[in-house]
Amino acid sequence: MRKALVIGSGAGGATVARKLQEQFAVTVLEAGPEFRPLKAGLRKIEKIKRAGLLFHEREIELIFPSMRIQKTGDGMVLVSGSGTGGTTTIATANALRLDHDLLALGIDLSREFEELAGEIPITTAHQQKWSKITRLLFQTFENMGFEPRPMPKMGFFETCTGCGRCVLGCPNGVKWDSREFLRSALELGATVRTGVRAARVVIEGGQALGVEARVGLRREFIPADVVVLAAGGLGTPRILESSGIPGEPRLFVDPVLCVAAPWKNADQNADLPMPFFIQREHDIISPYFDHLSYFFNRGWKPPAGDILSLMIKLADEDTYTVGGRKAGKVLTGKDRERLEDAVGVCVEVFGRLGVPKGSLFLGTLNAGHPGGALPLLSSSAATFHDSRLPRNLYVADSSLLPRSLGGPPILTIMAMAKRVAKIVSAGFARA
């Protein structure tokens, strides 16, 4: 049986591994450890916050090792997951099909989306459990002429207990994440190695021979017949650059900004995050308690239960400046104009609820959906393979997206990954 290496165990990597293991001997390399939900309760963290000991976002890595923090050149916080399941473990399990840009290229993933709907429980039944404040916000958006829609969620949300900890790792097994696909791959015989960070793809004669990885303090060469990179919108481009294959000088991140208000006993921190959303041209707006802002933004004062927040998720321009993908991302003037416009909508919502503008406060500008460094083009629409890559090296993550989605990307990434896995199986499964 031929060997396949999959780099990353998030939405793309776990999906590819599950499919390829049917015909390949698959090894998944995950840079992080086994995922563990945040154990500390919010009250304990509140005590630390009140003591003034939370002053930089990177401290979250000490409290919650599965979350990784970086900062861009203009101070925006980039959040990602580290460990089995990737960022899906700290996401809110939203299941939106956002493939309009792919359809424009002639890429129809309808079959892949249908397959995912048969493999993953997707529901809006959580609507039955909405809190009074969530229903009030929904009605307010309707009264303003918007068309709010319940957010489809991956998992068993009809049994959700309302702990509000989706982004900290669901403690009750309600939320679906890509570890489920990873477990399926393991049951079929795949191998998952944690704490193994892929450094570069070893390429000779136009062929990928395998991956050079860092395992603790040593380096190890891991051979393979096929390599699939799914290390995320920041990780995959770095591996490609180290392998002598630079991606496009572009990066989008889907910035998030919350507009919050004091609201006695809102208890949004213990509510389902993003229960519904409104879709606008360049953003979505949804109720969301931002734990990152609450932990580290001094404007977000305890107790957490007295804060009510709306999240703006923006489809940003794919700008990138010289200086490395980590620090090179900056928001453009147009991005900031669009954010300001969305803030205005949130201000109006709160105004209709009787909250004066002067009492509102903003969250920490952050982002968690980087991508676009190796975008699909009309020339690669059929093959899902960039001409710069060796024929046995593929990418299966948000790097393939042509533009920022400005919304939850997980389902769309998995649909793309399914297509990649089918193409690889058809082309390389035979010895």
Side-chain angles (χ1 to χ4, degrees):
M1 185 176 285
R2 308 198 81 183
K3 296 179 180 179
L5 268 182
V6 178
I7 313 305
S9 64
T15 303
V16 166
R18 182 173 184 258
K19 176 63 178 175
L20 291 188
Q21 183 56 38
E22 296 173 1
Q23 295 178 282
F24 290 81
V26 173
T27 298
V28 179
L29 304 183
E30 169 56 52
E34 290 288 335
F35 175 76
R36 296 286 185 272
L38 177 66
K39 293 182 179 180
L42 201 58
R43 289 184 180 179
K44 182 177 180 179
I45 296 175
E46 273 190 357
K47 289 181 180 179
I48 299 173
K49 179 181 175 75
R50 288 179 187 273
L53 299 177
L54 294 179
F55 50 86
H56 192 283
E57 290 82 4
R58 290 207 64 172
E59 285 183 279
I60 193 67
E61 298 179 11
L62 301 175
I63 304 169
F64 189 24
S66 294
M67 187 177 286
R68 287 286 178 266
I69 298 294
Q70 303 176 45
K71 279 200 173 184
T72 66
D74 56 358
M76 181 166 47
V77 177
L78 298 183
V79 181
S80 61
S82 176
T84 50
T87 303
T88 67
T89 57
I90 59 170
T92 56
N94 300 323
L96 288 182
R97 176 175 175 170
L98 299 174
D99 61 335
H100 41 280
D101 291 320
L102 299 174
L103 286 168
L105 292 174
I107 300 172
D108 185 357
L109 298 175
S110 294
R111 179 173 295 180
E112 285 75 16
F113 281 110
E114 289 172 6
E115 290 171 1
L116 288 168
E119 297 163 350
I120 299 171
I122 298 176
T123 182
T124 58
H126 54 81
Q127 190 172 3
Q128 303 167 8
K129 294 176 172 285
W130 283 2
S131 66
K132 182 178 179 180
I133 190 64
T134 295
R135 296 181 187 279
L136 179 60
L137 287 169
F138 189 93
Q139 185 63 56
T140 303
F141 276 107
E142 276 193 328
N143 293 343
M144 291 172 63
F146 293 105
E147 297 179 355
R149 290 186 285 157
M151 180 70 79
K153 299 280 186 178
M154 294 181 282
F156 304 96
F157 282 87
E158 63 276 8
T159 65
C160 179
T161 60
C163 69
R165 295 173 68 91
C166 288
V167 299
L168 304 175
C170 176
N172 301 312
V174 171
K175 187 185 81 171
W176 187 96
D177 63 58
S178 66
R179 289 179 298 163
E180 292 299 319
F181 276 2
L182 207 59
R183 291 186 190 105
S184 296
L186 285 167
E187 290 171 1
L188 292 169
T191 299
V192 177
R193 296 182 60 186
T194 58
V196 180
R197 184 177 297 277
R200 68 183 182 96
V201 181
V202 178
I203 301 169
E204 288 185 11
Q207 185 89 350
L209 303 182
V211 166
E212 182 182 286
R214 292 192 294 273
V215 186
L217 298 177
R218 64 184 177 86
R219 294 216 170 211
E220 178 182 342
F221 171 69
I222 305 170
D225 298 297
V226 179
V227 177
V228 180
L229 296 180
L234 294 176
T236 288
R238 289 177 185 150
I239 295 170
L240 287 174
E241 288 174 3
S242 298
S243 309
I245 307 172
E248 295 296 317
R250 58 196 296 273
L251 178 67
F252 57 75
V253 295
D254 284 7
V256 166
L257 180 65
C258 286
V259 182
W263 192 284
K264 191 70 174 176
N265 297 323
D267 293 328
Q268 190 185 37
N269 61 296
D271 209 351
L272 178 70
M274 300 184 72
F276 70 84
F277 69 103
I278 65 164
Q279 179 74 64
R280 305 200 313 151
E281 183 179 3
H282 299 292
D283 58 60
I284 66 170
I285 299 176
S286 179
Y288 178 78
F289 181 83
D290 188 356
H291 284 81
L292 185 74
S293 293
Y294 180 70
F295 291 165
F296 299 104
N297 190 316
R298 294 182 180 179
W300 289 52
K301 301 182 185 302
D306 290 346
I307 296 174
L308 183 63
S309 172
L310 293 171
M311 176 183 67
I312 302 158
K313 187 181 293 290
L314 179 72
D316 57 317
E317 297 189 300
D318 53 13
T319 54
Y320 169 73
T321 59
V322 176
R325 210 168 296 276
K326 176 178 178 179
K329 173 67 186 181
V330 294
L331 295 186
T332 66
K334 186 173 290 186
D335 289 333
R336 294 192 177 277
E337 285 177 11
R338 289 169 176 167
L339 270 178
E340 186 176 348
D341 177 70
V343 167
V345 172
C346 297
V347 169
E348 184 177 351
V349 171
F350 282 120
R352 291 191 177 215
L353 295 177
V355 181
K357 183 177 180 180
S359 67
L360 301 179
F361 48 96
L362 297 180
T364 298
L365 185 62
N366 66 89
H369 301 160
L374 205 72
L376 288 164
L377 306 169
S378 56
S379 58
S380 56
T383 64
F384 270 66
H385 189 268
D386 193 282
S387 60
R388 289 166 285 188
L389 303 177
R391 64 180 296 271
N392 62 334
L393 174 61
Y394 282 78
V395 170
D397 60 26
S398 57
S399 304
L400 298 176
L401 292 170
R403 288 193 306 172
S404 169
L405 299 182
I410 289 176
L411 196 68
T412 304
I413 291 171
M414 289 195 292
M416 293 193 301
K418 268 186 168 287
R419 178 64 61 86
V420 169
K422 291 174 182 178
I423 292 170
V424 171
S425 293
F428 297 94
R430 294 183 180 85

